[in-house]
Amino acid sequence: MKIKTLIKAALAGLSLTIMAAPSIAPAETLRVMTGSPSRALNVPMNRAVVVESDVPFSELSIANPGIADISSLSERTIYVLGKEPGRTTLTLLGGDGRLITNVEIHVTPDIAEFKERLEQILPGEPIEVRTANDGIVLSGTVSSSARLDRALQLAERYAAGRVSNLMSVGGTQQVMLRVRFAEMQRSVSKQLSSSLAIGGDLLGGDLGTAGGTGAAVTEGGRTGALSGALPGSNDNQGAMLFGFNAGGLEVGILMEALEQRGVVRTLAEPNLTALSGQEARFLAGGEYPIPIAQDDDTITVEYKPFGIELNFIPRVIDGDVINLELNASVSAIDPTNGFNQNGFSIDAFSTRETSTTVEMRDGESFAIAGLLSDDFTDLNGQVPWLGDIPVLGALFRSAEYSRQQTELVIIVTPHLVTPTRGEALALPTDRVRPPSERDLFLFGRVASENAPTSGGAGEVARQDFSGSYGYVMDN
């Protein structure tokens, strides 16, 4: 009983071993028949294929030994080894010197191993691999340009310089870039100064004196304050002038105080769409002529663009990962910092620009540039010695305070986009139509009330734009 059990267990184990053993594929063999044309023999490079003849042969020859090497294993079996990609011919002759057959041999790159490596590195990509002459042809649709580059790099390892790319990239390959320039400038300045003037008819009216830091004195040492009017040379909006006289003595005091606050907000949002790998340019502004002196004493004119400018090259790397190479700028003409000489003037430019390369996903945002500037000026001036007198010295002193702050940030947001039907898009002018003569002359309407009711324009027309608008800033 025990012996039968052992025999059954051994047979079961043997059957499992046979089932688990990997199947061995038969070696590739080409059989040739006398008098019949032989099909071409494909031999992978550095691989061997066996050719069998139905009759014994006595002589073998290969047209190009550099492409394939041959050796006889028996009187009917030939061993063919691929050496270099190319085509050659194998000739078999019988014992009577008659031709048995000619075999066309194609030595191709070993794509079997390449296919295995391609499947391991890029699983799931439907890439088709074929051989053409001595090269490799890749075709199919891949999911991203990064995977396409990896497939080409791997193919170059097996056929350097002989890879034909017929692959295409699927998915969305168009990128819309939204750039936001936001700049806030704040300025505060305060000024305080005073002047004291004393005059009269003393010594025949020739005695008059003035002191301080303002402009309260007129010709002859007399102050115009006593007449109740501001001096004609003073254009300060925060000036107050008062005076009095005691007999022949006249006293005038001019107080100047001014406080200024200013806020400037700049916002630009250029949007631009481009195909992956292609450069796109955008300019909303103009061109300013700049004269250029030449060596032959002639003057030529060059034009410098200004306004909102955006140049970028998007590259969809893998899936929704986008690489952005961009140049963005906002510039404006600035006459205050221009060049003036002999009545000839050239304006300057105020520019905020950035140039960088970033990488992000669809819909993500990056603050690619920022600036915080804080300029502070504090100036105090006085008449020597007189300004140091307690209380009364304030009439001989002036103080000036100025502070300017600037905040700038540039944010970019890329989106993968696809085209849509034109009916779904609306223009800013779609909801505005010219008025009829009746609306214009009878009712004074500058636009027709018959707005579109369908499509994207109708959607815009149905929106309510009444109510508050603009910007509110809290100090």
Side-chain angles (χ1 to χ4, degrees):
M1 187 66 181
K2 293 182 179 181
I3 296 176
K4 291 182 178 180
T5 304
L6 292 174
I7 294 175
K8 290 180 179 180
L11 292 175
L14 181 61
S15 62
L16 290 174
T17 304
I18 295 174
M19 292 175 62
S23 60
I24 301 175
E28 183 178 354
T29 303
L30 176 66
R31 290 180 173 84
V32 296
M33 307 295 292
T34 304
S36 62
S38 300
R39 64 180 178 88
L41 176 64
N42 294 321
V43 183
M45 190 172 60
N46 298 324
R47 298 287 184 92
V49 176
V50 175
V51 178
E52 292 184 350
S53 175
D54 64 331
V55 296
F57 57 84
S58 61
E59 187 177 348
L60 296 174
S61 65
I62 188 77
N64 189 346
I67 295 179
D69 192 9
I70 59 174
S71 61
S72 60
L73 301 178
S74 66
E75 60 181 5
R76 298 190 180 195
T77 308
I78 309 164
Y79 183 85
V80 181
L81 174 65
K83 298 173 64 176
E84 293 292 337
R87 293 188 177 188
T88 187
T89 303
L90 171 64
T91 303
L92 284 74
L93 300 176
D96 55 357
R98 293 184 178 181
L99 175 67
I100 298 177
T101 186
N102 285 327
V103 180
E104 186 177 358
I105 297 177
H106 296 174
V107 179
T108 60
D110 186 8
I111 63 174
E113 182 183 358
F114 171 61
K115 289 181 178 180
E116 294 177 1
R117 298 293 179 266
L118 195 62
E119 182 63 27
Q120 293 172 359
I121 296 175
L122 301 174
E125 293 292 342
I127 301 176
E128 298 181 2
V129 183
R130 299 181 178 89
T131 59
N133 196 5
D134 59 345
I136 295 177
V137 179
L138 302 179
S139 61
T141 303
V142 294
S143 59
S144 66
S145 58
R147 298 200 168 195
L148 183 145
D149 294 337
R150 293 172 192 167
L152 292 177
Q153 291 175 5
L154 183 61
E156 287 290 336
R157 302 288 294 179
Y158 290 86
R162 302 188 304 275
V163 179
S164 298
N165 177 25
L166 301 181
M167 296 182 292
S168 60
V169 180
T172 304
Q173 295 295 310
Q174 295 183 113
V175 180
M176 184 190 74
L177 181 64
R178 179 188 181 193
V179 181
R180 287 175 288 173
F181 294 84
E183 183 178 17
M184 181 70 74
Q185 297 179 356
R186 293 182 290 269
S187 62
V188 177
S189 64
K190 298 180 181 180
Q191 297 178 358
L192 177 62
S193 63
S194 61
S195 297
L196 176 64
I198 300 175
D201 296 332
L202 303 178
L203 299 180
D206 294 333
L207 177 61
T209 182
T213 58
V217 179
T218 59
E219 295 181 0
R222 295 289 218 150
T223 175
L226 305 183
S227 63
L230 290 174
S233 61
N234 178 60
D235 54 3
N236 194 336
Q237 298 179 0
M240 182 176 62
L241 182 63
F242 60 92
F244 64 92
N245 58 344
L249 181 63
E250 298 179 356
V251 178
I253 300 176
L254 175 64
M255 302 293 296
E256 295 177 308
L258 180 63
E259 180 178 0
Q260 294 180 336
R261 296 178 182 269
V263 176
V264 178
R265 181 179 187 268
T266 303
L267 181 65
E269 294 190 16
N271 295 341
L272 190 59
T273 303
L275 188 66
S276 176
Q278 301 297 318
E279 182 181 9
R281 302 174 62 88
F282 174 89
L283 174 63
E287 292 186 341
Y288 184 81
I290 299 177
I292 305 296
Q294 304 297 327
D295 295 336
D296 55 354
D297 296 334
T298 60
I299 296 179
T300 60
V301 177
E302 293 185 2
Y303 289 86
K304 176 180 176 59
F306 67 92
I308 303 170
E309 190 172 3
L310 174 63
N311 305 328
F312 85 108
I313 302 176
R315 295 181 179 88
V316 182
I317 298 177
D318 192 2
D320 60 348
V321 179
I322 304 171
N323 178 280
L324 291 176
E325 179 182 347
L326 63 94
N327 299 298
S329 67
V330 174
S331 58
I333 298 177
D334 185 11
T336 59
N337 295 321
F339 171 78
N340 293 276
Q341 186 175 5
N342 298 328
F344 183 77
S345 64
I346 301 177
D347 295 331
F349 292 86
S350 61
T351 305
R352 284 80 70 199
E353 64 179 345
T354 181
S355 176
T356 185
T357 301
V358 294
E359 190 172 294
M360 65 191 78
R361 294 185 178 274
D362 176 23
E364 294 181 341
S365 298
F366 239 132
I368 61 172
L371 171 66
L372 178 60
S373 175
D374 192 351
D375 296 331
F376 176 84
T377 302
D378 191 1
L379 179 63
N380 189 8
Q382 67 178 25
V383 176
W385 303 297
L386 296 180
D388 297 330
I389 300 175
V391 183
L392 187 61
L395 298 176
F396 301 93
R397 287 197 301 266
S398 67
E400 181 177 349
Y401 165 85
S402 175
R403 185 175 185 180
Q404 294 182 345
Q405 292 177 311
T406 301
E407 296 182 29
L408 170 66
V409 63
I410 302 176
I411 301 175
V412 296
T413 305
H415 296 279
L416 294 174
V417 295
T418 55
T420 185
R421 299 184 61 86
E423 294 81 358
L425 301 176
L427 297 176
T429 57
D430 287 347
R431 62 187 306 269
V432 179
R433 292 185 178 180
S436 63
E437 294 182 356
R438 175 176 174 271
D439 290 337
L440 179 61
F441 295 108
L442 188 59
F443 298 102
R445 297 173 183 150
V446 295
S448 175
E449 293 184 349
N450 298 324
T453 58
S454 61
E459 178 64 26
V460 175
R462 287 190 292 272
Q463 298 179 17
D464 185 11
F465 292 95
S466 61
S468 301
Y469 61 93
Y471 300 99
V472 177
M473 291 178 292
D474 298 328
N475 294 328

